[in-house]
Amino acid sequence: MAPTSDDSAAVPVRLARIGGDGIGPEVVDAAVRVVNAVCDDRIEWVGAEMGWRTFERTDRALPEVTVEILDNCAGALFGAVSSPSHAVDGYRSPIVELRRRLDLYANVRPLKSGPIDTVVVRENTEGLYAGRERWEREGEVAIAERVISRRATERIARFACELARSRAARRGRGARLTVVHKANVLRRSDGLFRETALDVAAGFPEIAVEEQLVDSMVYRLILEPERYDVIVAPNLYGDILSDAGAALAGGLGVVGSANCGEGFCLVEPVHGSAPDIAGRGIANPIAAVSAAALLLERVGFAADAARIDELVAACRKSGPRTPDRGGAATTEDVVADLLARV
Ligand code: NAI
Ligand code: MG
């Protein structure tokens, strides 16, 4: 289709694709093919690299040129990187560094499976992962400080409320926000998180707001996951809830997540580089495809994102299954099934 000058939809959105290591490139390639089949020529993909292989070749896990490419893109689809299990001089996880450099403060993990349709929104920049650790008493005691700021809590709460609002509009039903904390014990830090998040949510009268202590949150999420809509939590709680939720929603091979900042979004499958199956053509591409749908939604292609979610749901229900899902299908079989449904 020839682009026309008066049609803004004909101007492609530029997105980066970063395969990384192990099965990363295999599943990213699969996801790009599905996106292109749905979006035609409205996406322009730019390749970039990072990870362990990049480090071995260039001494940098995250090359500056990759950061420059990302600066000129609306978002990125990332596969996975391998990290050595021992400390290696000069090596730092490029994904952790990117989250910090691009200020990707919201980690978003949708959990969709049967009646479950929930999103965990995790604060991604502070909390117990602020990295403030020290020794006391000559190494006999280790102390970790937990940082909760009003500013970071305000922006994660606002992000969660806006997400709840747009989900409600899309799904044609009321929005619910669950604020997770442990303010009965951590009175100041979680107290500030609780109070700030509830204050922000009060500015969204159409959202039904509730609060839940983190331990009972895990319990209830497992017992009745279908009752939740958007869940917002500080860093560590959100991390744990996200992974518990991933198990509920079908496992590593099918769940994607997004790291969002003000003007940029980096999405990834929840799984790692799976070196045990890399190169064998049997990686499940569904997690990467679901991640790509999240990216499309963030860059304004909500209808295409919904379309991909439908394809994925249909494929999960009646399509071929890779070995992690108990079948014998290949990555290519799953991609072919998704493409046939387009
Ligand atoms: P992993 O997620 O790579 O693999 C765990 C198990 O799940 C393996 O048996 C693997 O074969 C299987 N698996 C994962 N994704 C799959 C898929 N799409 N289809 C079928 N099976 C799949 O986690 P693991 O083994 O702990 O870590 C391997 C490497 O990945 C490590 O170097 C680790 O540092 C890295 N990693 C990277 C992440 C990232 O880049 N965001 C996240 C987690 C781990
Ligand atoms: Mg995690």
Side-chain angles (χ1 to χ4, degrees):
M1 190 182 76
T4 51
S5 54
D6 59 352
D7 180 6
S8 63
V11 178
V13 168
R14 187 181 298 139
L15 299 175
R17 51 181 291 181
I18 309 176
D21 300 311
I23 61 169
E26 303 170 30
V27 296
V28 164
D29 181 67
V32 165
R33 286 164 63 199
V34 174
V35 168
N36 287 346
V38 170
C39 296
D40 296 315
D41 47 9
R42 287 172 295 140
I43 306 284
E44 178 192 342
W45 294 101
V46 188
E49 62 168 340
M50 67 187 195
W52 179 247
R53 281 187 310 164
T54 307
F55 177 77
E56 287 188 312
R57 232 190 36 253
T58 68
D59 270 347
R60 291 291 313 271
L62 177 63
E64 275 314 303
V65 57
T66 292
V67 180
E68 278 162 31
I69 288 172
L70 295 182
D71 279 340
N72 288 303
C73 287
L77 171 62
F78 161 63
V81 294
S82 297
S83 293
S85 47
H86 53 285
V88 172
D89 256 3
Y91 184 88
R92 277 187 303 170
S93 163
I95 182 72
V96 173
E97 192 180 343
L98 262 187
R99 282 183 191 137
R100 190 179 50 78
R101 283 182 66 167
L102 302 177
D103 196 21
L104 305 176
Y105 64 88
N107 187 278
V108 180
R109 185 168 302 178
L111 309 170
K112 245 186 248 174
S113 180
I116 306 173
D117 186 1
T118 293
V119 186
V120 178
V121 176
R122 159 188 168 198
E123 202 291 321
N124 217 10
T125 66
E126 55 177 30
L128 200 54
Y129 295 168
R132 297 200 189 173
E133 291 193 293
R134 64 174 191 276
W135 296 110
E136 283 188 2
R137 290 211 254 139
E138 282 145 19
E140 291 309 302
V141 176
I143 310 275
E145 286 178 336
R146 186 160 177 276
V147 181
I148 302 284
S149 70
R150 193 183 300 279
R151 173 181 168 272
T153 307
E154 266 170 9
R155 70 176 180 173
I156 197 69
R158 185 158 297 116
F159 184 99
C161 288
E162 279 162 6
L163 181 64
R165 176 190 271 166
S166 67
R167 276 166 59 85
R170 195 168 65 243
R171 304 192 306 166
R173 58 163 130 150
R176 182 201 295 267
L177 179 75
T178 309
V179 178
V180 178
H181 60 78
K182 188 80 181 177
N184 56 335
V185 176
L186 297 165
R187 291 184 184 279
R188 292 189 183 168
S189 55
D190 271 1
L192 180 61
F193 186 89
R194 169 186 180 274
E195 177 196 313
T196 307
L198 294 178
D199 272 358
V200 169
F204 293 75
E206 75 275 31
I207 299 178
V209 182
E210 62 181 10
E211 49 184 305
Q212 186 88 56
L213 297 177
V214 62
D215 42 355
S216 66
M217 181 70 232
V218 177
Y219 183 77
R220 292 189 72 182
L221 183 65
I222 289 167
L223 278 189
E224 40 176 356
E226 63 289 341
R227 94 172 272 286
Y228 292 98
D229 179 12
V230 176
I231 298 169
V232 66
N235 208 336
L236 170 69
Y237 304 159
D239 195 12
I240 295 169
L241 284 169
S242 296
D243 275 22
L248 280 174
L252 283 178
V254 300
V255 180
S257 74
N259 302 280
C260 304
E262 285 314 333
F264 191 85
C265 173
L266 180 143
V267 300
E268 55 181 321
V270 168
H271 61 73
S273 61
D276 52 333
I277 58 165
R280 291 172 51 198
I282 55 167
N284 190 340
I286 293 286
V289 174
S290 302
L294 287 175
L295 180 56
L296 292 181
E297 191 177 328
R298 293 297 302 173
V299 300
F301 291 0
D304 303 283
R307 182 103 186 280
I308 290 179
D309 284 342
E310 282 166 27
L311 301 175
V312 163
C315 176
R316 279 181 66 179
K317 203 166 168 200
S318 62
R321 288 168 179 243
T322 43
D324 59 301
R325 307 277 295 146
T330 62
T331 309
E332 196 54 42
D333 294 334
V334 178
V335 174
D337 179 84
L338 290 167
L339 295 178
R341 291 174 199 271
V342 180

